[in-house]
Amino acid sequence: MKRFFLRCVLLFASFSASSAVWASDVLRVFAWPGYADADWVSEFEKRYDAHLEVTFVDTDEDLWEKVKKNNGENFDVLAANTAELKRYYEHKWLAIISRKNIHNSNNQLKRFKININDINSDGNLYAIPFVYSEMGLIYDKKQIDTPPVSMAEMWLEKYKGKVVLYDGSNHNFSLTALVLGFKDPFNLSQDEMAKDVNKLLELRDQQPLFYNSPEEGTAAFVKNKAALMFANYGKQQLKLLRAAGADVGYVIPKEGALAWLDCWAISAKTKNKTLAEKWINFMLDKSVSNELTQRQGLSNTLAHSSLDAKDRIIWIKSSENFALRTQYWERIRAGNARNSNNRPKKPSL
């Protein structure tokens, strides 16, 4: 009888624990590594009696494919940069956000509270700025005595096989456009696109090492004794490399550095918009945002950054044709067009 009673107690306890999880509100989050650390997730779940399902992404293309797969029905809140957000709300996948429901946004620096391209449309706000970084150039001090001054140095023959390159189509096209001196790196003409493609093919001939996440970039740089890295994650990668023992420097090149601004956005099809707003508000708490800067080396929207006033920072914008850039990058990345006779001369936009 006692054994039967004990089994019943244990069964009830197990059922109660499971029921607690079932009863909790579920929030599905698409985030970049470092944006939803386990301790923050745990604290949020306890504070709001919620259960978070976090899916990490490592490229803009990866995030796009995940959202597109179910037309925005498979997430509640996501982190994306300003250059990407426009196509999400143009597909009507994002909900309109009211700042009054996210009171910690009042603590943001003024420049992040005004109208920002690609997160506002027709008077509606579709995302809240969160963290940002410029994309500088990292170099190995043991191999390079004088700090490089231009991104163009990645194309130098002496660095063949020693360049670490971010595996993302959009940023690489914009970066190369800056090297080529084009006026608007985000809106290329047909002729500029053709020249950009050919220049990227020359970089592909340099046999670069590709990475997606900051950790992959660090591993590739250290293992292969690389000389240069296009730091898509900026000072976050500088912090990781130095922690790994690499003797590296960091520069903003003369062309200027592309800079991304990641924002939180909410699915238009979420069933729990209130909880999604609470997550964004939680991430904008000073303790969380400042801790993220300490952990990741990224700048947050509540505190002033360490950028020099003379540094030329170019905030990324939506490009002229995402699909075309992705199409060409896949060919360039695979090395299928290394023969100049096969290189596109006049891509059709």
Side-chain angles (χ1 to χ4, degrees), residues 19 36 51 57 71 90 114-115 130 136 152 166-167 223 240 260-261 287-288 333 335 349:
S19 298
H51 175 65
V57 298
N71 292 316
E90 285 183 342
I114 61 176
N115 288 340
F130 176 48
Y166 178 62
D167 192 9
K223 180 180 179 180
L240 285 172
W260 49 262
L261 171 61
S287 62
V288 176
R333 173 68 171 82
L349 299 177

Side-chain angles (χ1 to χ4, degrees), residues 204-267:
R204 181 65 179 85
D205 289 341
Q206 282 284 81
Q207 299 176 11
L209 305 157
F210 294 100
Y211 74 93
N212 286 310
S213 70
E215 293 76 16
E216 286 179 355
T218 298
F221 194 96
V222 173
K223 180 180 179 180
N224 296 281
K225 298 180 180 179
L228 293 169
M229 174 192 281
F230 168 40
N232 184 76
Y233 301 94
K235 292 188 179 71
Q236 180 182 25
Q237 289 173 278
L238 182 67
K239 183 181 179 71
L240 285 172
L241 282 166
R242 287 177 173 170
D247 185 12
V248 292
Y250 181 82
V251 297
I252 303 297
K254 67 178 184 180
E255 300 91 359
L258 299 169
W260 49 262
L261 171 61
D262 274 358
C263 306
W264 289 111
I266 300 172
S267 171

Side-chain angles (χ1 to χ4, degrees), residues 46-208:
K46 292 177 182 177
R47 184 180 300 184
Y48 297 107
D49 187 28
H51 175 65
L52 264 65
E53 296 178 356
V54 180
T55 301
F56 290 108
V57 298
D58 53 19
T59 66
D60 294 329
E61 288 81 2
D62 179 32
L63 177 60
W64 173 255
E65 290 301 322
K66 281 181 168 58
V67 175
K68 185 175 71 171
K69 184 177 180 181
N70 293 92
N71 292 316
E73 293 185 0
N74 57 341
F75 79 98
D76 297 298
V77 61
L78 62 75
N81 69 63
T82 52
E84 297 289 318
L85 284 164
K86 186 176 181 180
R87 58 174 174 168
Y88 285 100
Y89 65 69
E90 285 183 342
H91 277 79
K92 303 188 183 305
W93 293 340
L94 300 183
I96 296 172
I97 294 178
S98 174
R99 278 187 174 273
K100 69 179 182 181
N101 296 333
I102 304 171
H103 60 84
N104 281 335
S105 66
N106 294 326
N107 299 322
Q108 292 183 299
L109 299 176
K110 184 178 179 180
R111 72 164 114 172
F112 300 113
K113 292 190 287 187
I114 61 176
N115 288 340
I116 298 174
N117 288 336
D118 296 330
I119 70 173
N120 292 274
S121 180
D122 296 327
N124 296 318
L125 178 67
Y126 289 95
I128 298 292
F130 176 48
V131 294
Y132 63 98
S133 178
E134 76 290 347
M135 295 178 257
L137 186 64
I138 292 176
Y139 65 98
D140 179 25
K141 291 183 177 181
K142 293 181 179 179
Q143 299 181 61
I144 304 175
D145 296 328
T146 304
V149 296
S150 171
M151 283 287 188
E153 297 201 26
M154 294 191 297
W155 277 260
L156 295 179
E157 178 68 22
K158 64 181 178 179
Y159 297 129
K160 187 172 184 176
K162 291 191 172 185
V163 172
V164 181
L165 189 65
Y166 178 62
D167 192 9
S169 60
N170 205 35
H171 294 175
N172 284 324
F173 272 92
S174 298
L175 159 71
T176 304
L178 286 178
V179 172
L180 290 170
F182 297 154
K183 183 178 180 180
D184 186 350
F186 313 110
N187 187 25
L188 304 180
S189 66
Q190 289 186 342
D191 182 62
E192 288 173 335
M193 176 63 81
K195 292 177 180 177
D196 206 305
V197 168
N198 287 329
K199 189 68 174 177
L200 276 170
L201 282 164
E202 292 175 9
L203 185 57
R204 181 65 179 85
D205 289 341
Q206 282 284 81
Q207 299 176 11

